[in-house]
Amino acid sequence: MSGHRDDETLRRLEAEIPVPDHAPPDERVAVLRAAAEARRAASIAPRALPRRGFLLAGVGAAAGAAAGIGVYEVLDKDLPSVPTERIALTGAPAGVSATGELINHTWGIELLLTIGGLDAGSEYRLRYRATDERVVDAGSFVAVADEFLCRMTGSLLREDAETIELLDADDTVVVRATL
Amino acid sequence: MIRDHELRAIVDRARAFDPDAWEALYRRLYPRLHAYANRRLPPTECEDAVSETFTRAMDAIDRFRWRGAGFDAWVFGILRNVVYERYRSRPVQTSPDAVPELVSGESGPLERLVAHEETADVRAAFARLGPEDREVLELRVLGDLDAKAVGSVLGKRPGAVRMAQQRALQRLGDLLTEPS
């Protein structure tokens, strides 16, 4: 029975390839605990938004809020440490500030959009445009008064992406980036 | 060794973002996750990859369900994505030196494969395996995941995992006995 032989071989391999039994660094544990604490606090009082810091809103925050998913408070250090590509967002109207960083995923791209000065309570949506003119929706959100961070994902590979556009409810481009 | 019902209780507490629960899960999985990451990423990136994996797990814990292959496989699946994203954005070649050393064990019927006298040969043979062969063996051995769990991570049926594992072991054995 080759299956049994394989199992036996794997057991031997386990013995021969030891997994180092070392503990995680204390500072990493501390960061993880702090992240859990922050999320617990946010889940208990999701409306208690901080004056400072970022708000991390899920994709489709408008629908999310209606469904009770809410908005998460996160600390800078909780942001993922994946490599990001800073992009230039242009055309922002007076009073609107926007910065963006792209994460190049295997399944598409994700824009970390930090934006402030939008019309609070209004809905905005993001779309990616591909080099072959395809348009890929990347979610929507309802703006809040403070600066906030949205993670906008779309099923478009980085090498195929040409522009990013944030549109208001009237389909007017608020900010855009050419990649 | 945490029993299944104990793990479920910890995960339930983790859903409520209990820091003690998250620390317990982190400490429990850290050695295996780190060992897996260490085979694919430079040492300087392994800690970040494992940390990021847990950050993502925390973000997604409300979507985790016990059906399927279990919590460990779910976390390994996240780590695999993290590693692949890092690969994609900044390609890294895993050198044979990154492969954990095999220590000589007692001789036996499987000595051709696992108790090979030349540890460097085993390391080299492992490095010469194709990425799919290496991964299935690493998930089984370093990840301590069963075939069902590996299948969950790789998106394959358990039977397909067993077949892949069998082929990988065969190829590893062939490489070891290849005349140099």
Side-chain angles (χ1 to χ4, degrees):
Chain A
M1 293 288 288
S2 62
H4 290 156
R5 278 204 307 273
D6 287 349
D7 288 345
E8 189 180 349
T9 306
L10 286 169
R11 280 195 294 275
R12 293 294 301 275
L13 273 173
E14 287 171 4
E16 301 290 340
I17 308 177
V19 175
D21 189 22
H22 54 269
D26 289 343
E27 63 272 18
R28 299 275 179 173
V29 175
V31 167
L32 184 78
R33 292 184 63 92
E37 289 280 13
R39 283 162 177 76
R40 181 161 66 176
S43 67
I44 292 171
R47 298 297 176 188
L49 302 177
R51 279 188 164 188
R52 298 177 60 192
F54 289 104
L55 302 176
L56 175 59
V59 176
I69 294 173
V71 179
Y72 296 91
E73 172 189 353
V74 297
L75 306 174
D76 289 356
K77 64 188 176 188
D78 296 324
L79 293 176
S81 57
V82 295
T84 59
E85 172 190 354
R86 183 168 287 278
I87 60 170
L89 291 165
T90 60
V96 173
S97 63
T99 60
E101 292 182 67
L102 278 183
I103 298 177
N104 180 8
H105 292 286
T106 53
W107 42 261
I109 50 178
E110 176 180 7
L111 173 65
L112 305 180
L113 174 66
T114 302
I115 193 161
L118 295 176
D119 184 12
S122 296
E123 186 174 345
Y124 294 82
R125 64 189 178 91
L126 196 90
R127 69 184 180 194
Y128 300 133
R129 193 179 293 277
T131 50
D132 62 3
E133 295 298 314
R134 277 180 299 133
V135 174
V136 177
D137 290 329
S140 60
F141 58 83
V142 175
V144 296
D146 294 324
E147 183 180 67
F148 59 99
L149 169 65
C150 270
R151 309 180 69 142
M152 316 299 288
T153 58
S155 56
L156 182 64
L157 297 180
R158 172 63 185 86
E159 60 264 33
D160 297 329
E162 188 170 65
T163 61
I164 297 174
E165 294 173 330
L166 179 69
L167 301 102
D168 64 16
D170 298 324
D171 280 346
T172 301
V173 175
V174 180
V175 292
R176 75 190 307 273
T178 301
L179 304 177
Chain B
M1 184 74 174
I2 295 180
R3 294 178 181 171
D4 185 60
H5 72 277
E6 293 171 324
L7 179 60
R8 285 174 180 262
I10 294 172
V11 171
D12 283 346
R13 286 164 45 212
R15 290 186 199 279
F17 302 116
D18 177 346
D20 291 339
W22 278 104
E23 180 176 343
L25 294 171
Y26 188 53
R27 290 187 182 281
R28 175 176 170 273
L29 276 174
Y30 176 84
R32 288 187 280 149
L33 295 172
H34 192 278
Y36 177 87
N38 192 45
R39 295 185 67 95
R40 288 174 164 71
L41 296 171
T44 52
E45 292 191 30
C46 292
E47 295 290 353
D48 283 348
V50 176
S51 292
E52 188 187 332
T53 296
F54 261 80
T55 299
R56 292 190 189 187
M58 199 178 284
D59 286 338
I61 188 67
D62 61 333
R63 297 196 295 275
F64 169 71
R65 298 291 180 269
W66 278 104
R67 60 175 177 268
F71 184 77
D72 293 1
W74 183 69
V75 176
F76 262 92
I78 296 172
L79 174 62
R80 187 168 182 261
N81 283 336
V82 169
V83 168
Y84 272 65
E85 286 166 18
R86 285 172 178 255
Y87 251 30
R88 188 177 169 85
S89 60
R90 191 170 48 196
V92 173
Q93 296 296 320
T94 301
S95 81
D97 292 339
V99 177
E101 290 202 359
L102 303 183
V103 296
S104 296
E106 60 188 58
S107 61
L110 300 167
E111 64 180 355
R112 175 177 85 103
L113 190 57
V114 296
H116 202 273
E117 290 182 359
E118 300 295 333
T119 300
D121 286 354
V122 177
R123 194 164 58 226
F126 220 107
R128 287 172 61 195
L129 286 174
E132 291 184 5
D133 287 345
R134 279 205 307 268
E135 183 162 42
V136 74
L137 293 181
E138 288 162 0
L139 288 170
R140 290 297 311 268
V141 175
L142 294 177
D144 195 25
L145 302 178
D146 61 21
K148 183 179 179 184
V150 173
S152 171
V153 174
L154 300 180
K156 294 180 176 178
R157 293 182 181 279
V161 170
R162 291 190 194 94
M163 289 292 292
Q165 162 195 308
Q166 187 181 345
R167 287 194 298 269
L169 290 171
Q170 179 65 47
R171 277 191 277 266
L172 184 60
D174 291 345
L175 288 169
L176 281 169
T177 54
E178 235 177 39
S180 56

